[in-house]
């Protein structure tokens, strides 16, 4: 399952956000929202979440960094369901983490959807260093 695209939406006063229909089709009736890296939220379809959380729980419990990494994602995770208008309620703790107040951007990021504060997304998506990024991709075996 691959998510792609970029959609701008507003968060209402109650903390609800419209999930684009193209994403809802793939996410299903119920899915998981959790803290993501870089200050955004990650949204997983149930089966993708199962695979991701299994990897987290298989990390070595004896390592503090592994425990903290697992806690970061699992403690912030919540199950979300869309209402009749295609909206989800984003809990306050997740809205605060991602700096979501009014304008949000939902992007397809392969196996997940990311929810960004609009100004934060504009900052990280400027891709000022595309040439540097392309060189790094070559080192990772992604020949362009």
């Amino acid at each position: 399952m691959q998510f792609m695209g970029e959609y701008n939406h507003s968060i209402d006063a109650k903390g609800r956000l419209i999930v684009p229909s193209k994403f809802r089709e793939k996410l299903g009736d119920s899915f998981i929202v959790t803290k993501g890296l870089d200050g955004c939220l990650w949204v997983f379809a149930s089966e993708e979440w199962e695979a991701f959380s299994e990897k987290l729980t298989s990390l070595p419990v004896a390592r503090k960094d592994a425990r903290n990494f697992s806690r970061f994602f699992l403690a912030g995770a919540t199950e979300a369901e869309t209402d009749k208008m295609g909206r989800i309620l984003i809990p306050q703790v997740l809205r605060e983490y991602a700096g979501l107040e009014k304008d949000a951007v939902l992007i397809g990021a392969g196996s997940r959807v990311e929810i960004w504060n609009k100004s934060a997304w504009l900052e990280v998506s400027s891709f000022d260093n595309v040439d540097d990024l392309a060189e790094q991709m070559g080192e990772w075996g992604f020949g362009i």
Side-chain angles (χ1 to χ4, degrees):
M1 176 178 326
Q2 294 292 312
F3 294 97
M4 59 186 176
E6 179 178 328
Y7 302 87
N8 290 277
H9 288 284
S10 296
I11 296 175
D12 69 16
K14 294 181 181 179
R16 297 175 300 195
L17 174 68
I18 292 174
V19 177
S21 61
K22 289 198 183 264
F23 290 165
R24 288 195 314 265
E25 290 170 11
K26 293 180 181 179
L27 289 168
D29 296 331
S30 174
F31 45 89
I32 304 299
V33 180
T34 191
K35 293 176 184 175
L37 301 177
D38 303 315
C40 69
L41 301 180
W42 285 359
V43 182
F44 291 95
S46 295
E47 57 275 8
E48 289 290 337
W49 174 252
E50 287 301 317
F52 182 68
S53 64
E54 282 178 22
K55 288 178 185 176
L56 291 173
T57 57
S58 71
L59 293 173
V61 175
R63 292 196 48 169
K64 185 176 183 174
D65 57 348
R67 291 190 310 271
N68 286 337
F69 190 72
S70 181
R71 286 177 187 136
F72 175 78
F73 294 107
L74 295 172
T78 187
E79 189 172 350
E81 295 181 0
T82 55
D83 64 13
K84 292 176 185 169
M85 304 283 292
R87 301 172 300 191
I88 58 168
L89 175 64
I90 300 175
Q92 181 67 31
V93 66
L94 293 179
R95 290 195 315 265
E96 288 174 3
Y97 168 78
L100 298 172
E101 294 174 4
K102 180 76 175 147
D103 296 322
V105 180
L106 295 90
I107 66 156
S111 64
R112 67 182 179 277
V113 172
E114 294 181 351
I115 302 173
W116 287 85
N117 165 297
K118 186 172 184 172
S119 59
W121 171 245
L122 291 173
E123 212 172 286
V124 300
S125 67
S126 66
F127 302 116
D128 291 333
N129 60 349
V130 169
D131 292 333
D132 294 339
L133 188 57
E135 286 180 26
Q136 181 66 45
M137 296 298 287
E139 292 172 21
W140 292 337
F142 192 89
I144 297 176

